[in-house]
Amino acid sequence: MNQNKLFSQTRLRLASWYALVMGFILSLCGWGVYQAIVHAHWETLDRELKTVAGTLHDTIENELKQPGRLEPKAQALLPKREDKHHILGAIYQGNYYIRLLDNSGRVVAMAGFEPVGLPVTRPEATWQSLRDAKGNHYHQISLSLHTQNNLSWGYMQMGRSLQDVETYLTNVKLILLLGLPLAMVLVGGASWWLSGLAMQPIYISYKQIEQFTADAAHELRTPLAATQATVESALFMQHLDEKEAKDILATVQRQTQRLTQLVADLLLLSRMDRKTAPLRRVRCNLNDIVNDLVEELAPLAVAAKVKLTSKIRVQQPLTVVVDEDQIYRLISNLIMNGIQYTPANGEVTVALERSTHQAAIAVKDTGIGIAANEQKRIFDRFYRVNSDRSRSTGGAGLGLAIAQAIVQAHGGYIQVQSELGKGSTFIVRLPLEAS
């Protein structure tokens, strides 16, 4: 329960930090998007004003003859509200205004939208931002005017109201501000889901370690309990004859051997996990190893009333560079498993063949078989397909785990093919010696 609480707290902390970081990044991105939109609108606005004002400026300037005086032809060039077909008639469709000022700053003519309370300013700069009596903002460009004789006539100012632009930008800002909390909610949900996915392998690994610890403690406790019970019963006996003493010592020895083997297996797995168990690689002939093991384990098969045979399907010896002791243990584990899980009058066959650049060792039995849903777990430590049968044969559920570790340490792989009630085939593939 405490472990689940710890994982939940860790997941919540991870999700919170992720959401916080993503919120900061989204805020920066939103601010950047808003600034980009503002910049794009100002650039468009400036370009539009500059183009329209430049066209009108050049047209009017060609008709000016005397400073401060607006010629009728120049006056006629100014767009009129009723003249929708004028080249600059679009001015009346927006919030544009035009003012012609002489050198003293007096307004000589106006056209377009007439803002109320907008101050008349001298062109200290080409671009100006103004505000009228109601607080509305305007953007304005000022261009100098000259007569045909190149005398200073005054200047022309063209501007437009920024009300529509400000309304648009306000809506954009509102959308971004309202969208950020919604995005944070989505990010929070996604971060919780992602943190769960990220922690799932850790949680599974922790559960496996927890299960491994419980299984190891259980396996160690069984022979210890048996030894303790044997010793306690001996202590309660007032007289022990030689035969009874030898029986008690034999029982203690068996349990001690079981403990020793279990500890040795656990140490081997631990060293192979940490890759601290050195491989004493030598050139080995797999044909000889298979034949020797079949001959060596034949008495065990006879005792179990199981037929043990070998099938060498290669004409030439298969040579591998391996740790010979570990390969012996690997194959012997598979053969003994086959014998233990095969009922009387069954058969265990060890086949050896070549596949491309690999040697294939197949141990096939006609035993109880393995269900499809258990085949993925049979290489887990302390896992038993049939716990009662494994305990009766004295197994601790480490044989296949050791076999898999040995195969992986030699750069090969192991696979199982099985059908419940019809037997199993374990296939080991090891790389052959390079030519």
Side-chain angles (χ1 to χ4, degrees), residues 310-328:
S310 63
K311 291 183 180 179
I312 309 298
R313 298 172 180 171
V314 289
Q315 297 179 351
Q316 296 179 349
L318 294 182
T319 304
V320 291
V321 181
V322 294
D323 187 317
E324 189 171 9
D325 292 338
Q326 290 193 7
I327 296 302
Y328 258 96

Side-chain angles (χ1 to χ4, degrees), residues 283-319:
R283 297 177 74 251
C284 298
N285 187 334
L286 283 179
N287 305 51
D288 294 340
I289 293 176
V290 169
N291 287 327
D292 290 347
L293 281 172
V294 169
E295 183 179 349
E296 180 182 333
L297 297 175
L300 180 64
V302 172
K305 299 181 180 180
V306 173
K307 182 181 179 182
L308 177 61
T309 58
S310 63
K311 291 183 180 179
I312 309 298
R313 298 172 180 171
V314 289
Q315 297 179 351
Q316 296 179 349
L318 294 182
T319 304

Side-chain angles (χ1 to χ4, degrees), residues 27 207 371:
S27 299
K207 284 295 184 182

Side-chain angles (χ1 to χ4, degrees), residues 208-219:
Q208 288 175 342
I209 294 173
E210 192 177 50
Q211 184 64 42
F212 173 79
T213 305
D215 290 339
H218 180 76
E219 293 298 333

